[in-house]
Amino acid sequence: MREFETWVARVLLLNSALTLAVALGLLGGPREAAELPVLFGVGLFGFLAAVLSLKRWKTGPCGGVLYYALQLVSYFPHDGGPQFSVKAGVSVGLVMRFSGATLVLNVVALALLAATVAVLAWRMRAAGPR
């Protein structure tokens, strides 16, 4: 399981590095100015969580869970109301159109969230009852 844990941490490191590259304008197309600080903050948070995961700190995978949870669902209302979308790193979406809004489920974030939760569960089980 240690190899899987290291793999999950390295994927988080790569994903967050891609997010930082997009936020800094090194990858991808131009972004709105209001979106860049959020994207940079999420990328930096994911990078820190990845480093902590590689050092085998328990807070690392917890940060990874939050990093992927932020990317899980995007919400775009059709009436032009407030929207929510954090697309960081690699994103493959399952688009669901409803009468009032469009929801996008990021399946890559869902798979990586499940892997990170599995690592966290394994660590808690290995620690045993206290």
Side-chain angles (χ1 to χ4, degrees):
M1 187 66 173
R2 286 249 193 233
E3 294 84 21
F4 182 69
E5 183 179 354
T6 302
W7 179 84
V8 168
R10 287 179 180 165
V11 169
L12 177 58
L13 186 67
L14 176 65
N15 208 347
S16 61
L18 288 172
T19 304
L20 288 171
V22 168
L24 294 172
L26 302 173
L27 291 175
R31 300 278 183 159
E32 292 182 26
E35 155 181 15
L36 290 176
V38 172
L39 198 57
F40 185 77
V42 169
L44 200 55
F45 180 78
F47 196 83
L48 178 63
V51 169
L52 293 176
S53 291
L54 287 170
K55 289 186 168 229
R56 307 252 188 256
W57 288 24
K58 187 178 179 182
T59 53
C62 292
V65 166
L66 183 58
Y67 176 78
Y68 291 123
L70 284 172
Q71 301 175 53
L72 199 55
V73 177
S74 297
Y75 173 75
F76 304 98
H78 296 163
D79 63 1
Q83 64 183 12
F84 175 79
S85 176
V86 177
K87 294 179 185 169
V90 179
S91 174
V92 176
L94 174 65
V95 178
M96 297 170 279
R97 297 184 193 277
F98 298 101
S99 62
T102 300
L103 288 177
V104 180
L105 176 68
N106 184 345
V107 293
V108 173
L110 180 62
L112 294 172
L113 177 66
T116 307
V117 167
V119 165
L120 208 53
W122 175 76
R123 276 194 181 181
M124 294 177 99
R125 193 176 29 226
R130 292 187 178 192

